[in-house]
Amino acid sequence: MIELRVLGRESFLKLLKIVDHDGDSPDPPFLETYKKLFATADDPKNRAVATEEWKFPIIDFGRLTGGEAETKFCKKEICEAAKEWGFFQVVNHGVSKEILEKMRMEQVSLMRKPFREKIHGGDLGFDAGIYRWGTPSATSLKQLSWSEAFHICLNDVVESTANSDLRWAMKEFSIGVSELCYKLVDILAEAIDENPSFFREACSPSSSYLRLNRYPACPKAHQVFGITPHTDSDFITVLHQDHIGGLQLLRDGKWVAVNPNSDALIINIGDLFQAWSNDVYKSVKHRVVANPTMERFSTAFFFCPSYDTVIRGGAGESVYRSFSFGEYRNQVQEDVRVFGDKIGLPRFLLHTN
């Protein structure tokens, strides 16, 4: 989960002056707000070239309801993908096509509203602080994300006063992917002889998040990312992306494209699961490349614990010291503020060379 920040009061007032000239455009004023970064950029080369072609794991979740041998093999596939890739796709995942299509339709309708309405909350029923865009802390183009999002706590999904169709879509999507997450963590925990009840106790609607992403077409796509390279600060992320593509993950030092699959949900392991499993499962760095001509949409679900949940390594010698989720998030946010980027798990290693 990349750390996004809201604008301070002074920056927000400056932004309002810019917005006054943008009419009903849904796009945030990236060029105007970050014009100094573009003016001083000394590297115009495309930052997202030459991805490698790999056979990306696609797992049929429906096989878990097959015979004993088929179920065992499916679980093995899931665990191997989490260990070797940290990223995989699942089909027959239990979230209906109707819900996925409705979620996307309502999300597109929301995100295409005028920017001036989104920053104020307007008639959307969300607190203005839930809407984020760009990277206010960026001091160079390599730190700038050309994207916007509504980052919504699951409790707010249930309590939202947004239009009923949007509220229904978010709720049904969240219920479906939450159930998927619990099934996944049960399988992954049992495979390393850990008690999966930990996740039932630690993760709830009050601690997990839904993020509705839009990546506007970018005239400077050769200079910036849709979202800069990062790992997610959660246990598991479930992503539904549209047909445009642009998601890439880092494997063996090379960037690999995650091609769109309308029937699949993308699963990626987060930092917390890597620490909790003592590096058995991998949290993999990923990014979204900017597109010069087309907008892109994706919906992400972040499976998180409560802030006071303590993350401890399981059996064997611990790789990381114990830390709470709240401590981890605070450290990530502080590093982003000071260094412009996330450091993440290396901050919590017990032993360093």
Side-chain angles (χ1 to χ4, degrees):
M1 171 165 46
I2 194 167
E3 301 301 321
L4 301 175
R5 294 187 171 198
V6 296
L7 292 174
R9 182 178 181 275
E10 184 176 341
S11 296
F12 184 77
L13 291 175
K14 291 180 180 178
L15 175 61
L16 291 183
K17 296 179 181 178
I18 295 174
V19 173
D20 285 341
H21 299 285
D22 282 343
D24 293 329
S25 172
D27 296 345
F30 292 104
L31 292 177
E32 296 90 338
T33 303
Y34 298 103
K35 60 184 178 182
K36 290 184 179 180
L37 297 186
F38 286 104
T40 58
D42 57 4
D43 180 14
K45 296 181 180 179
N46 194 318
R47 302 180 184 276
V49 297
T51 58
E52 294 288 309
E53 291 294 331
W54 291 73
K55 186 177 180 181
F56 194 68
I58 300 178
I59 298 171
D60 184 352
F61 221 67
R63 293 165 59 198
L64 290 174
T65 58
E68 182 178 348
E70 190 171 9
T71 298
K72 184 177 180 180
F73 185 74
C74 184
K75 289 182 177 181
K76 181 181 177 181
E77 282 187 318
I78 291 169
C79 294
E80 287 179 349
K83 292 175 183 178
E84 296 176 13
W85 284 81
F87 249 84
F88 54 96
Q89 297 187 83
V90 293
V91 295
N92 295 318
H93 39 66
V95 184
S96 73
K97 187 174 183 178
E98 175 193 10
I99 291 174
L100 293 178
E101 289 179 347
K102 183 65 174 177
M103 180 70 252
R104 180 54 37 77
M105 182 177 70
E106 293 299 325
Q107 178 179 347
V108 169
S109 177
L110 170 66
M111 301 304 289
R112 284 182 176 167
K113 287 182 177 291
F115 175 67
R116 63 168 69 249
E117 291 186 24
K118 288 181 286 191
I119 61 171
H120 288 298
D123 60 353
L124 305 178
F126 297 128
D127 180 84
I130 291 176
Y131 176 72
R132 294 107 184 263
W133 66 279
T135 313
S137 60
T139 57
S140 67
L141 290 184
K142 69 179 182 180
Q143 298 170 353
L144 175 60
S145 292
W146 192 280
S147 55
E148 60 176 337
F150 281 95
H151 192 76
I152 310 166
C153 176
L154 254 60
N155 275 354
D156 293 334
V157 169
V158 176
E159 299 171 2
S160 171
T161 58
N163 73 76
S164 59
D165 287 342
L166 175 59
R167 184 170 63 249
W168 179 89
M170 290 192 297
K171 183 177 180 180
E172 293 301 312
F173 178 86
S174 299
I175 289 172
V177 294
S178 292
E179 292 175 354
L180 175 61
C181 285
Y182 283 119
K183 290 177 182 177
L184 284 168
V185 295
D186 283 354
I187 292 168
L188 295 171
E190 289 172 357
I192 56 174
D193 298 321
E194 293 294 336
N195 189 347
S197 65
F198 167 82
F199 296 97
R200 305 280 172 176
E201 297 167 0
C203 303
S204 69
S206 64
S207 58
S208 294
Y209 290 84
L210 185 67
R211 192 164 76 205
L212 313 182
N213 300 307
R214 175 177 176 261
Y215 303 84
C218 176
K220 302 287 187 179
H222 60 292
Q223 291 181 280
V224 299
F225 291 111
I227 282 189
T228 56
H230 66 284
T231 58
D232 289 351
S233 303
D234 60 356
F235 278 116
I236 282 180
T237 304
V238 181
L239 181 79
H240 183 231
Q241 64 172 340
D242 66 11
H243 64 286
I244 300 300
L247 176 63
Q248 300 174 350
L249 64 90
L250 190 63
R251 180 169 174 81
D252 296 336
K254 298 180 180 179
W255 289 101
V256 181
V258 183
N259 294 325
N261 182 338
S262 61
D263 296 323
L265 291 174
I266 297 168
I267 310 297
N268 74 272
I269 302 299
D271 297 345
L272 301 187
F273 218 142
Q274 177 169 328
W276 190 80
S277 68
N278 272 333
D279 281 353
V280 173
Y281 304 125
K282 305 302 181 185
S283 179
V284 177
K285 187 167 286 190
H286 51 286
R287 68 188 187 184
V288 174
V289 298
N291 191 300
T293 60
M294 293 182 288
E295 62 183 348
R296 175 182 181 268
F297 295 89
S298 68
T299 310
F301 178 86
F302 299 99
F303 189 63
C304 302
S306 60
Y307 284 167
D308 60 355
T309 297
V310 176
I311 310 301
R312 298 186 179 91
E317 184 179 358
S318 294
V319 178
Y320 306 93
R321 70 170 178 82
S322 298
F323 57 87
S324 70
F325 179 42
E327 180 186 2
Y328 189 75
R329 280 185 58 86
N330 289 339
Q331 184 64 63
V332 167
Q333 291 171 352
E334 177 65 10
D335 287 339
V336 170
R337 185 187 68 81
V338 175
F339 303 108
D341 202 359
K342 170 184 174 178
I343 296 175
L345 285 178
R347 281 283 194 191
F348 298 84
L349 285 167
L350 280 174
H351 307 288
T352 57
N353 294 328

